[in-house]
Amino acid sequence: MNTIRQGGWGLKAAGVVGLVFGLLTIFSGGTALFGGEAARAAVGNAVPFVLWFNFAAGFFYVVAGLGLLLNRSWAAWLSIAIAVATVLVLAAFGLHVAGGGLYEMRTVGAMLLRAAVWAVIAAISWRSMRR
């Protein structure tokens, strides 16, 4: 089946959140990666692999959000993959920190927020798909 039969308002809300979250992620990550000297200085001790992952993931967030808004079952699977990938990068980031690597405390909060948001979106989309 290509579509989720009964998307409901929860799935639509998850799609909107994913889409907006993705656009904001692309903007902020793009500014940090490709902005001027002041933008790069503002990120402080950003961890490069986390920064690049988040920027690239933003494009997948947008695709997943649009797919959820269109009730596409592949978007539920993509949401689950995003959640899993985010948790794996969070774990790698944790190893980086535990190993004495430089980091910004706001990265901890941002990664925990990303993991939580995508875990909720994945759960909502999975539940909608299983109906």
Side-chain angles (χ1 to χ4, degrees):
M1 176 186 310
N2 290 340
T3 61
I4 300 171
R5 276 199 314 224
Q6 291 180 321
W9 68 267
L11 189 65
K12 297 295 184 202
V16 168
V17 169
L19 179 62
V20 171
F21 204 63
L23 293 172
L24 292 172
T25 298
I26 293 166
F27 176 76
S28 65
T31 300
L33 288 168
F34 309 115
E37 193 63 36
R40 283 192 293 275
V43 299
N45 293 319
V47 180
F49 76 87
V50 174
L51 187 56
W52 277 102
F53 169 79
N54 288 335
F55 176 67
F59 294 96
F60 289 96
Y61 298 173
V62 169
V63 171
L66 288 173
L68 292 174
L69 286 170
L70 297 172
N71 291 340
R72 302 294 182 209
S73 58
W74 55 261
W77 292 108
L78 180 56
S79 298
I80 293 165
I82 290 169
V84 169
T86 303
V87 169
L88 292 174
V89 171
L90 177 58
F93 173 68
L95 291 174
H96 169 81
V97 171
L102 295 175
Y103 69 100
E104 292 290 331
M105 194 60 197
R106 64 183 173 222
T107 304
V108 175
M111 287 304 293
L112 290 171
L113 175 66
R114 290 174 195 286
V117 165
W118 282 98
V120 169
I121 291 173
I124 290 169
S125 62
W126 177 257
R127 190 181 73 227
S128 294
M129 185 174 69
R130 303 309 293 165
R131 286 185 182 172

